[in-house]
């Protein structure tokens, strides 16, 4: 089977590596153009490009797929199946409709919940106990295509976006392998999504990252975990300096009456009053500084009990 792979970040890389290890006939990799990265704005290739070139798979980096811009290349490659994982661009009908076995996608949630751009982050931020992977046939709507296989993953208390991302990348690769195997065996069944059960995982915006201390401590903790290690939840110190929060835990105090945002203790991290209970920052990034333990920040900046974070 001739497979065209479309993907860009590390999340896609796991599936590409798995398909290559299986000996699949990958006729090409389509990924986004190189982009400037870091302080030096050095042009950096996507992870899937680096791997594909290292194993001799042709790489294509079109700036657009619209208006037939990719059609000639698609016909030359003549894929029977297109596998899409976090490609980052909308596929036009000329691409979606081309392969005889369709376009399959690895989505980082248990559809129809959390359709959209940020399902992994939102699952943690919303306090879901379980997330997972859904392989699906792609359609023109946003993650609305028929579902194929699903695999669940529990969200542990110490998981954050990074750990869930890595676990789901591996699980997504495994699930796509099983999906292709079922397709070959003629046992692959498709299931239409129930739109009435759909929820939306919107792209993470800056407004999502500002900590609202009027919320309960668990809600705040889940938000911090879902945004770590990038882009990170944040608050401001009394001198209006930015304070990003890398890691935290829920405090044991439930009955405190302090104003939400009040620092009530700095003896074991930075414990802050919430709408219900407290949250304790354990690792932070102060404005203009690198990541550090909360205790080091307390010693260096002399944040004290009674200070208000906002």
């Amino acid at each position: 089977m001739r497979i065209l792979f479309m993907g860009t970040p590390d999340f896609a890389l796991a599936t590409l590596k798995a398909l290559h290890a299986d000996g699949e006939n990958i006729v090409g990799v389509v990924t986004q153009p190189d982009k400037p990265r870091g302080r030096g704005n050095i042009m950096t290739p996507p992870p899937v490009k680096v791997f594909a070139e290292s194993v001799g798979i042709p790489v294509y980096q079109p700036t657009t797929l619209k208006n037939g811009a990719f059609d000639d290349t698609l016909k030359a490659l003549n894929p029977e199946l297109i596998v899409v994982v976090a490609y980052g661009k909308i596929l036009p009908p000329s691409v979606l409709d081309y392969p005889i076995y369709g376009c399959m996608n690895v989505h980082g949630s248990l559809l129809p919940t959390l359709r959209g751009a940020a399902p992994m982050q939102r699952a943690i931020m919303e306090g879901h106990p379980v997330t997972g992977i859904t392989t699906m046939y792609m359609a023109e709507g946003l993650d609305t295509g028929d579902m194929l296989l699903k695999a669940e993953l529990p969200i542990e208390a110490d998981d954050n976006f990074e750990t869930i991302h890595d676990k789901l990348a591996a699980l997504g690769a495994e699930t796509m392998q099983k999906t292709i195997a079922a397709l070959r065996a003629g046992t692959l069944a498709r299931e239409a999504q129930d739109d009435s059960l759909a929820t939306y995982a919107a792209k993470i915006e800056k407004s999502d990252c500002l900590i609202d201390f009027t919320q309960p401590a668990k809600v705040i903790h889940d938000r911090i975990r879902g945004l770590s290690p990038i882009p990170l939840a944040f608050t401001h110190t009394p001198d209006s300096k930015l304070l990003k929060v890398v890691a935290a835990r829920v405090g044991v105090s439930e009955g405190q009456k302090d104003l939400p945002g009040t620092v009530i203790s700095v003896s074991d991290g930075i414990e802050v009053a919430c709408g219900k209970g407290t949250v304790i920052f354990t690792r932070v990034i102060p404005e203009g500084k690198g990541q550090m333990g909360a205790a080091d920040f307390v010693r260096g900046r002399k944040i004290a009990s009674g200070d208000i974070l906002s």
Side-chain angles (χ1 to χ4, degrees), residues 123-202:
I124 304 169
M125 292 165 67
E126 294 174 10
H128 294 204
V130 175
T131 184
I133 288 291
T134 306
T135 56
M136 58 183 290
Y137 278 118
M138 297 185 71
E140 289 191 59
L142 180 65
D143 300 325
T144 57
D146 289 351
M147 301 178 293
L148 299 170
L149 299 184
K150 289 186 178 183
E152 292 190 355
L153 178 75
I155 299 177
E156 306 292 349
D158 58 350
D159 275 322
N160 63 9
F161 171 46
E162 181 176 39
T163 60
I164 288 296
H165 171 280
D166 292 350
K167 292 175 185 179
L168 286 181
L171 186 60
E174 178 185 339
T175 308
M176 181 53 76
Q177 288 173 301
K178 292 179 179 178
T179 302
I180 293 175
L183 174 65
R184 282 202 174 92
T187 59
L188 188 62
R190 56 197 300 164
E191 177 187 357
Q193 295 188 46
D194 184 345
D195 290 344
S196 69
L197 301 177
T199 59
Y200 180 56

Side-chain angles (χ1 to χ4, degrees), residues 70-254:
F70 189 65
D71 288 1
D72 288 344
T73 303
L74 187 62
K75 290 174 184 177
L77 294 171
N78 194 27
E80 297 168 278
L81 172 68
I82 296 179
V83 173
V84 184
V85 187
Y87 174 52
K89 290 182 181 291
I90 295 174
L91 273 57
S94 61
V95 177
L96 287 173
D97 298 338
Y98 185 89
I100 59 173
Y101 295 118
C103 292
M104 291 181 180
N105 177 242
V106 173
H107 185 74
S109 80
L110 298 172
L111 291 172
T113 60
L114 298 176
R115 296 173 178 173
M120 291 178 278
Q121 297 98 317
R122 296 288 180 186
I124 304 169
M125 292 165 67
E126 294 174 10
H128 294 204
V130 175
T131 184
I133 288 291
T134 306
T135 56
M136 58 183 290
Y137 278 118
M138 297 185 71
E140 289 191 59
L142 180 65
D143 300 325
T144 57
D146 289 351
M147 301 178 293
L148 299 170
L149 299 184
K150 289 186 178 183
E152 292 190 355
L153 178 75
I155 299 177
E156 306 292 349
D158 58 350
D159 275 322
N160 63 9
F161 171 46
E162 181 176 39
T163 60
I164 288 296
H165 171 280
D166 292 350
K167 292 175 185 179
L168 286 181
L171 186 60
E174 178 185 339
T175 308
M176 181 53 76
Q177 288 173 301
K178 292 179 179 178
T179 302
I180 293 175
L183 174 65
R184 282 202 174 92
T187 59
L188 188 62
R190 56 197 300 164
E191 177 187 357
Q193 295 188 46
D194 184 345
D195 290 344
S196 69
L197 301 177
T199 59
Y200 180 56
K203 177 183 176 182
I204 302 297
E205 304 289 352
K206 186 176 181 179
S207 58
D208 293 310
C209 302
L210 177 62
I211 297 173
D212 177 4
F213 288 106
T214 66
Q215 295 291 315
K218 183 184 182 305
V219 172
I220 294 171
H221 181 236
D222 289 340
R223 181 166 297 262
I224 290 169
R225 292 191 300 138
L227 296 169
S228 183
I230 187 171
L232 291 174
F234 67 87
T235 186
H236 298 92
T237 55
D239 57 357
S240 300
K241 297 292 186 182
L242 186 68
L243 182 66
K244 295 182 178 181
V245 184
V246 179
R249 67 180 187 272
V250 175
V252 296
S253 175
E254 288 291 338

Side-chain angles (χ1 to χ4, degrees), residues 264-286:
I264 63 173
S265 173
V266 293
S267 63
D268 181 25
I270 302 169
E271 187 169 10
V272 187
C274 305
K276 178 182 180 182
T278 66
V279 64
I280 302 172
F281 301 161
T282 56
R283 293 200 67 79
V284 297
I285 301 178

